Amino acid sequence: MKFKKLIIYMLFHIIYCCASSALASDKKLVILASDNIESISLDVISNLYSFRQKLMPNNQRAQLTSLPINSEDTIGFTKKFFNYYPYQLKRIWDQAIFSGKARRPKQFDSTEDLLDFIKNHDNAIGYLIIETTELKQLKETYNVIAIIG
């Protein structure tokens, strides 16, 4: 059993290291929100994604989005935003969901689907890792809340 945990830990570490080296290039973590969200603090976003808070400042339920746990985007988000490994955030989510305190963020397999959802739904929040060169185009089309890194 300990060997299995060690293997899992090593795999996450390898994935994290690969993603960290990719993030060291010209890539940024971008936090996006639907157009009805004029401003929201990073503390509120942190509280929403860690399920310490359910409602947005406008007293409506947030529609959190995510990408697959092993994607470069999620690895970058958890490391840069929370200083966690992805499995640590997933564990927080699993505990809150199991206890009935929260619902899992809506997961998308592609960034295009995630962006489409954020654009067409109120109170939606998401994250992406993008090239610096793509940042201007993203800002023109979507409500960018924060750029980290």
Side-chain angles (χ1 to χ4, degrees):
M1 189 67 179
K2 285 188 176 190
F3 181 72
K4 189 175 182 180
K5 286 183 180 180
L6 178 64
I7 295 294
I8 291 171
Y9 173 77
M10 288 173 52
L11 286 173
F12 276 114
H13 188 69
I14 290 168
I15 291 170
Y16 166 73
C17 288
C18 292
S20 293
S21 63
L23 289 174
S25 64
D26 291 345
K27 295 188 177 188
K28 304 285 184 190
L29 168 63
V30 178
I31 309 293
L32 304 154
S34 55
D35 290 333
N36 74 313
I37 300 172
E38 293 177 16
S39 69
I40 186 169
S41 73
L42 293 179
D43 288 337
V44 170
I45 293 171
S46 174
N47 288 339
L48 289 167
Y49 269 99
S50 58
F51 296 142
R52 291 186 296 246
Q53 181 175 339
K54 288 183 182 180
L55 300 178
M56 308 242 312
N58 62 5
N59 288 327
Q60 294 181 354
R61 183 177 286 278
Q63 295 193 53
L64 301 177
T65 62
S66 72
L67 291 161
I69 198 76
N70 60 349
S71 71
E72 176 188 358
D73 299 275
T74 301
I75 293 168
F77 174 67
T78 57
K79 188 59 185 164
K80 285 184 170 270
F81 198 72
F82 291 104
N83 202 24
Y84 291 164
Y85 289 101
Y87 73 89
Q88 291 172 299
L89 185 61
K90 184 180 181 306
R91 186 175 25 194
I92 291 169
W93 291 354
D94 290 345
Q95 288 172 348
I97 292 161
F98 181 76
S99 67
K101 294 180 182 175
R103 290 183 289 184
R104 183 172 303 283
K106 185 161 182 58
Q107 185 171 326
F108 296 93
D109 292 328
S110 72
T111 56
E112 293 80 17
D113 292 341
L114 180 133
L115 289 170
D116 186 52
F117 182 85
I118 289 172
K119 191 72 172 167
N120 296 313
H121 292 82
D122 286 344
N123 300 318
I125 299 173
Y127 57 86
L128 294 174
I129 298 289
I130 64 164
E131 296 283 337
T132 306
T133 55
E134 300 170 359
L135 196 54
K136 183 178 179 186
Q137 181 183 3
L138 190 74
K139 283 175 140 180
E140 291 171 357
T141 311
Y142 297 94
N143 183 13
V144 174
I145 298 296
I147 302 166
I148 302 169

